[in-house]
Amino acid sequence: MQLLLMLKCLLLITLANGTPVVAKKILGLRFSRPLDAGILFFDRRPLFGASKTIRGILASILITTTSAPLIDLDLTIGATVAGAAMAGDLFSSFVKRRLNLLPSSQALGLDHVPESLFPMLACRDALSLTIADIALGVGIFFIGGLILSRLLFRAHLRDEPY
């Protein structure tokens, strides 16, 4: 088990997923262009929804990539984690729109699993993560995400407690 590397990866995953939330709080509506440009899918629902912005994706990739060396990981690991975490987040949003769930609504599991599973799988070889490491990491992220979301809500950094 690569506990230290898994924890470093989890730290980057948390940073990747949290950066868009912080960017929204700091920047408000500035630079908040929807990633899907308002395009509707075949089912006439938004592709991802207005809450998935170019600003959030770019901020996540920039901050996570440049933060990786601070915990002794390569820039490419930071970029990989950020890109895969954002892909997981977009996947979640896409599925939630197909299920007719409102943007920013909670979908237990769907909100946390892809956002942690995708980056851990993407870094599996580079960080020598085992399937057990990945399963444990996803579990930690899932439970930690539920706790952290409530704390961030109380600190007025999140709009919803989930």
Side-chain angles (χ1 to χ4, degrees):
M1 181 172 277
Q2 297 288 335
L3 187 59
L4 183 59
L5 286 175
M6 182 191 61
L7 292 174
K8 287 181 179 185
C9 188
L10 279 172
L11 182 62
L12 288 180
I13 292 169
T14 302
L15 185 61
N17 285 295
T19 296
V21 175
V22 174
K24 178 183 176 186
K25 283 297 177 186
I26 292 171
L27 298 172
L29 293 176
R30 290 184 299 251
F31 313 113
S32 66
R33 305 280 186 268
L35 183 66
D36 65 9
I39 293 172
L40 300 179
F41 197 58
F42 299 114
D43 59 7
R44 308 302 302 157
R45 294 184 185 120
L47 190 60
F48 302 120
S51 64
K52 300 303 168 197
T53 65
I54 295 169
R55 173 194 64 206
I57 301 289
L58 292 178
S60 177
I61 292 170
L62 177 69
I63 297 300
T64 308
T65 300
T66 58
S67 296
L70 299 175
I71 57 172
D72 295 323
L73 291 176
D74 192 78
L75 289 169
T76 57
I77 296 294
T80 300
V81 165
M86 293 298 94
D89 187 42
L90 292 173
F91 172 79
S92 296
S93 291
F94 178 81
V95 171
K96 285 167 71 173
R97 297 305 79 77
R98 308 296 67 81
L99 296 173
N100 207 26
L101 297 173
L102 296 173
S104 300
S105 62
Q106 184 180 29
L108 198 60
L110 186 56
D111 288 324
H112 300 94
V113 173
E115 295 171 7
S116 57
L117 180 61
F118 286 21
M120 293 194 91
L121 287 173
C123 294
R124 185 174 133 201
D125 290 339
L127 298 179
S128 301
L129 298 174
T130 66
I131 296 301
D133 294 330
I134 293 169
L136 180 61
V138 170
I140 290 170
F141 186 82
F142 177 76
I143 293 166
L146 293 174
I147 294 167
L148 188 59
S149 287
R150 283 163 178 76
L151 294 174
L152 292 174
F153 176 73
R154 287 186 184 159
H156 304 289
L157 292 175
R158 286 194 65 99
D159 295 331
E160 302 291 338
Y162 46 80

